[in-house]
Amino acid sequence: MTKGSRAPVPRLEHHTLERIETVWFGIAVAMAVLLFASVLASFVSGTYPALKGEGGHHITGVENGRLDPRNLAATPFAKPGLRENPDGSLEAFVVARAFAFEPAVLRVPAGRPITFHVTSADVLHGYQVEGTNINATAMPGQVASFTTTFRQPGELDTICNEYCGVGHHNMITRVIVEAPQQATTQP
Ligand SMILES: [Cu+2]
């Protein structure tokens, strides 16, 4: 060794994979396997997000949560809005289209469960009711169904949260929650 030269760096004991790397690698593989398995399981169990709509099966013109978006006239979506069934249950039919919602304003009673059915007449839209956990995707050909109960009377802004074109920002509507006795329903 000549004067001034550096001492050789001692070679560290270095395995191909350190133990901590092996652990992380194992965790990553386990997560990948879990994700893959859960995707498979969702298809087997039918819980994949196809917006099947638990209430969709009984609606005229709706088969398995699906309908013909060019023929909404054959379904209750022809007359969007709130309707009361003979058994007293309430259903709200909402159609999103570029660039508006139908009905323009949805009036619902407070304190009663309401099953919503949301679809689109053209392209992908969203139906998000401000201040609630209502956030449905309105897809042409599919019905998104969910049941909710509004506790308090009030006015809730409702927006489209899926960009759908030049008029997207105009897709604002309103849900008016009324004290129960005021609400009007369509026959
Ligand atoms: Cu939209």
Side-chain angles (χ1 to χ4, degrees):
M1 199 179 293
T2 56
K3 193 183 174 193
S5 72
R6 292 179 185 170
V9 178
R11 199 171 163 75
L12 292 170
E13 193 63 32
H14 188 81
H15 303 285
T16 314
L17 276 180
E18 294 294 340
R19 178 181 292 176
I20 190 77
E21 291 174 318
T22 314
V23 169
W24 280 114
F25 185 70
I27 291 174
V29 168
M31 285 170 70
V33 167
L34 197 71
L35 274 172
F36 185 67
S38 51
V39 168
L40 282 183
S42 71
F43 276 101
V44 170
S45 65
T47 53
Y48 56 93
L51 298 177
K52 266 171 49 173
E54 48 82 29
H57 57 276
H58 66 280
I59 304 171
T60 313
V62 176
E63 199 69 51
N64 228 353
R66 293 169 186 270
L67 46 64
D68 181 357
R70 290 154 301 181
N71 194 18
L72 292 183
T75 72
F77 290 101
K79 277 189 173 183
L82 188 72
R83 59 182 60 202
E84 185 159 15
N85 295 318
D87 64 0
S89 63
L90 291 173
E91 288 184 287
F93 291 86
V94 176
V95 178
R97 64 174 76 236
F99 296 100
F101 290 100
E102 298 167 12
V105 172
L106 180 66
R107 292 174 181 275
V108 296
R112 288 179 64 183
I114 299 155
T115 299
F116 278 72
H117 305 291
V118 182
T119 194
S120 166
D122 40 42
V123 296
L124 186 71
H125 297 283
Y127 186 74
Q128 180 172 8
V129 182
E130 166 209 61
T132 71
N133 64 352
I134 298 172
N135 186 0
T137 302
M139 292 172 71
Q142 301 225 22
V143 179
S145 299
F146 56 89
T147 301
T148 192
T149 302
F150 296 97
R151 303 281 168 209
Q152 303 291 336
E155 297 194 8
L156 304 170
D157 287 332
T158 303
I159 59 162
C160 173
N161 58 9
E162 297 281 355
Y163 182 73
C164 54
V166 289
H168 170 66
H169 59 283
N170 291 327
M171 285 190 69
I172 300 170
T173 178
R174 193 158 281 191
V175 172
I176 299 181
V177 185
E178 302 176 317
Q181 64 278 9
Q182 296 178 327
T184 49
T185 58
Q186 295 176 358

